[in-house]
Amino acid sequence: QQQVKQSPQSLIVQKGGISIINCAYENTAFDYFPWYQQFPGKGPALLIAIRPDVSEKKEGRFTISFNKSAKQFSLHIMDSQPGDSATYFCAADDTGTASKLTFGTGTRLQVTL
Amino acid sequence: DTAVSQTPKYLVTQMGNDKSIKCEQNLGHDTMYWYKQDSKKFLKIMFSYNNKELIINETVPNRFSPKSPDKAHLNLHINSLELGDSAVYFCASSLKPGENEKLFFGSGTQLSVL
């Protein structure tokens, strides 16, 4: 059972454009929603995260938008750069129980010149 | 200094063999994890240890046995390797259970079973 659904699977964006990756979840007990960035040959690294008490969080060019009623959240990368080319994973966690991140299936982002 | 280091980075072996992957973290964290990333990049938790005690054990074949000699180390031993075990295995750590905002991953061990 895929508890966190992520789309698109791959994304090509021109330099300077906006990259948007979407995720939807099913478990209403989830209360922590991070995004991870993974470069080839490396482990995932935390990029930005949000809790459901806010609808948006911004850190530099990266913004998470969160819609609790729709059980959806998305990552926006403004002014996308070639260095942003990586695989992005959304994830969700119910921190009230034995905590374990449930990951989405990943989005491979390529930012072209 | 690498925060979470795992060895080896690459592991190629024959079906039926037994192999181990080692992981060490120098962050002073209490909790360590093993994640498996399959060929489609899907990441799934396998085990979690808090201060040397097992706290999460997902539906993983008992051929996989984690061992935590101390809270800075979590090794993964795999018996009777199968083709389907081929994947990238990531070790990770966090300060405490539930503090996933501080989850740090190692660089992964790519296991290829021939």
Side-chain angles (χ1 to χ4, degrees):
Chain A
Q1 182 187 4
Q2 183 61 42
Q3 291 197 59
V4 179
K5 295 183 180 178
Q6 182 172 347
S7 62
Q9 190 173 11
S10 63
L11 183 60
I12 299 175
V13 173
Q14 277 198 324
K15 180 182 175 182
I18 302 173
S19 303
I20 302 174
I21 305 171
N22 300 299
C23 282
Y25 63 97
E26 298 167 7
N27 187 347
T28 54
F30 286 150
D31 60 355
Y32 173 68
F33 303 89
W35 284 89
Y36 279 79
Q37 180 187 55
Q38 184 180 23
F39 292 106
K42 300 293 184 183
L46 180 65
L47 189 63
I48 187 173
I50 197 168
R51 294 194 182 272
D53 52 344
V54 296
S55 60
E56 187 174 281
K57 183 173 181 180
K58 185 176 181 179
E59 289 183 3
R61 297 184 294 108
F62 301 91
T63 300
I64 300 179
S65 296
F66 184 80
N67 185 329
K68 188 174 181 178
S69 60
K71 294 188 286 185
Q72 294 175 347
F73 59 110
S74 59
L75 176 69
H76 291 63
I77 306 174
M78 311 300 287
D79 187 26
S80 299
Q81 299 297 312
D84 297 331
S85 297
T87 300
Y88 293 81
F89 293 92
C90 63
D93 192 17
D94 170 11
T95 60
T97 62
S99 188
K100 54 182 181 180
L101 281 175
T102 299
F103 282 88
T105 48
T107 296
R108 187 173 177 180
L109 171 66
Q110 184 182 351
V111 181
T112 60
L113 293 170
Chain B
D1 257 355
T2 305
V4 180
S5 59
Q6 51 183 112
T7 56
K9 183 152 181 75
Y10 300 98
L11 187 52
V12 182
T13 187
Q14 299 287 332
M15 261 189 354
N17 284 351
D18 303 340
K19 290 293 178 186
S20 293
I21 306 172
K22 295 185 176 181
C23 180
E24 176 182 4
Q25 53 94 4
N26 63 4
L27 297 166
H29 289 169
D30 283 350
T31 310
M32 296 186 72
Y33 311 78
W34 277 108
Y35 278 82
K36 179 180 179 180
Q37 187 171 48
D38 64 22
S39 58
K40 295 183 178 180
K41 295 268 188 185
F42 184 59
L43 263 168
K44 187 170 167 55
I45 192 169
M46 300 172 69
F47 301 102
S48 174
Y49 270 72
N50 182 53
N51 210 1
K52 302 192 298 176
E53 289 192 17
L54 182 67
I55 56 172
I56 293 175
N57 183 351
E58 289 296 280
T59 310
V60 177
N62 57 15
R63 297 182 295 105
F64 290 78
S65 53
K67 286 190 171 46
S68 183
D70 55 62
K71 71 175 190 178
H73 295 83
L74 180 62
N75 304 322
L76 183 65
H77 189 77
I78 315 170
N79 289 327
S80 304
L81 278 155
E82 299 177 357
L83 293 176
D85 297 332
S86 296
V88 181
Y89 292 85
F90 286 98
C91 178
S93 73
S94 66
L95 190 61
K96 298 282 183 191
E99 293 205 2
N100 283 295
E101 58 266 40
K102 298 181 179 70
L103 193 64
F104 293 87
F105 283 86
S107 293
T109 295
Q110 185 167 337
L111 171 65
S112 298
V113 182
L114 306 177

